[in-house]
Amino acid sequence: MHKRSNRIDLHVHSTASDGKLSPSEVVCLALRRGLRLLALTDHDTLAGVAEAQRAAHGANLEVVAGVEINAENKGGTLHILGYYVDIENALLQERLRAMREARVRRARQTVERLREMGMRLEMEEVEHLAGGDSIGRPHLARALLGRGYVATLQEAFRILGRDGPAHVPRPRLSPVEAVRAILGAGGLPVLAHPAHSGAAALSRIAELVDYGLRGLEVYYPRHSPADVKMLRALCRKHRLLATGGTDFHGPGADEGAPLGSVYVPWACADRLRASVMISAGRASALRG
Ligand code: AMP
Ligand code: ZN
Ligand code: FE
Ligand code: FE
């Protein structure tokens, strides 16, 4: 069923955000694992896409330009993936840049807060750990771990997480803004891990479909067989694409699963490609 020859993974992070492997390293690993399609979906940045596509040049591996936007949703977050976005689109770039700037401000404020709590970190070391384009709490968590203030990343997230003592909120897009930004860049907006973002996420699907949501991430490491069944039914009901991926963050990372390890039917890739071609056709007909 899960043939080595046609594996796909549509949810992958790199050092451009909080993954541990560079975009080229991700591609090397994907080739070793026999993947045929890979979407790089870093948080709030497209900076890794060109490198990944260069690394895959000439190989039998398609690298889809993607992004993951963690949007605000009533007391939680709702993650929107974008596939086949135009990485040069000015409006999407502008939106993502604003999010990344807010991330830097949030990291600085968090460093201050931690210092008041007796945990001394330098912003420079957190930036060095982040290395790439988009700084996040995982980098702060790794810095806390590196300094021995916590024993595990989970312990760090009890401090940095939503109800933690050093939690600093950051401005986020609304889910509708995220969907619009992705559509505006010619991409397909897909709701990430819907069964793993709280009931509030599921209850917004119908509304987001009205705004142009095109798919649900059905196949995901932490989705149970019952979740998959429920999400497939929602896809049929709303005429949505079913997608899937591992949320790979690197070997041994706390989050996600090993690259290519989640079964995603090959038909997902074909349907995704067909949808983006239909969208592009509509857009050029409208322009024409
Ligand atoms: P941020 O992008 O700064 O808002 O941080 C959110 C990211 O932190 C998520 O996308 C995950 O990659 C990671 N994350 C959130 N909660 C945890 C947790 N409890 N343990 C490990 N990683 C987490
Ligand atoms: Zn992440
Ligand atoms: Fe996510
Ligand atoms: Fe993710």
Side-chain angles (χ1 to χ4, degrees), residues 4-274:
R4 224 189 109 74
S5 55
N6 56 8
R7 281 194 198 178
I8 61 185
D9 195 331
L10 294 169
H11 191 155
V12 179
H13 295 275
S14 76
T15 49
S17 64
D18 56 8
K20 290 182 176 173
L21 300 184
S22 70
S24 317
E25 289 167 335
V26 167
V27 166
C28 282
L29 185 60
L31 289 170
R32 282 209 301 279
R33 303 237 164 122
L35 266 71
R36 294 279 302 281
L37 186 89
L38 161 82
L40 195 69
T41 53
D42 275 307
H43 303 287
D44 294 338
T45 181
L46 299 162
V49 169
E51 179 187 323
Q53 290 180 333
R54 266 197 309 277
H57 189 77
N60 191 5
L61 169 68
E62 178 183 349
V63 174
V64 175
V67 67
E68 182 176 24
I69 300 174
N70 298 9
E72 187 65 47
N73 189 43
K74 303 177 199 94
T77 58
L78 193 152
H79 301 185
I80 310 281
L81 295 158
Y83 294 118
Y84 290 102
V85 292
D86 170 10
I87 62 173
E88 311 267 316
N89 181 267
L91 211 60
L92 177 62
Q93 284 287 11
E94 174 52 34
R95 288 295 207 185
L96 298 180
R97 195 177 54 77
M99 291 300 103
R100 294 196 299 270
E101 286 171 3
R103 284 171 169 280
V104 174
R105 286 195 296 276
R106 192 248 326 238
R108 277 206 193 98
Q109 289 162 355
T110 309
V111 166
E112 283 304 311
R113 185 79 63 90
L114 289 166
R115 201 177 285 235
E116 288 159 17
M117 293 169 61
M119 292 178 264
R120 291 187 64 86
L121 293 182
E122 300 301 328
M123 186 60 189
E124 290 69 33
E125 82 187 86
V126 182
E127 279 174 332
H128 179 76
L129 273 170
D133 201 42
S134 181
I135 195 166
R137 281 174 296 169
H139 304 117
L140 287 153
R142 288 172 207 163
L144 287 173
L145 189 65
R147 288 259 187 153
Y149 288 125
V150 295
T152 64
L153 288 173
Q154 287 312 316
E155 191 184 337
F157 268 94
R158 283 198 285 277
I159 298 169
L160 302 169
R162 196 164 270 260
D163 300 315
H167 181 257
V168 179
R170 65 174 168 93
R172 292 169 185 268
L173 297 182
S174 72
V176 171
E177 287 170 326
V179 164
R180 286 209 170 119
I182 291 163
L183 286 174
L188 300 171
V190 170
L191 182 60
H193 41 74
H196 185 62
S197 290
L202 290 173
S203 70
R204 294 204 62 180
I205 290 175
E207 174 204 347
L208 291 175
V209 170
D210 288 340
Y211 284 102
L213 187 77
R214 299 290 294 279
L216 300 179
E217 186 176 50
V218 170
Y219 309 96
Y220 187 76
R222 293 209 246 172
H223 284 174
S224 69
D227 291 333
V228 169
K229 198 167 168 215
M230 178 267 296
L231 292 169
R232 285 173 53 120
L234 281 175
C235 285
R236 280 192 297 275
K237 176 176 167 194
H238 296 289
R239 298 175 152 279
L240 293 168
L241 294 159
T243 72
T246 56
D247 213 352
F248 178 67
H249 275 75
D254 256 32
E255 249 220 315
L259 190 67
S261 66
V262 165
Y263 168 71
V264 183
W266 179 249
C268 289
D270 288 335
R271 295 206 186 101
L272 202 64
R273 282 201 202 95

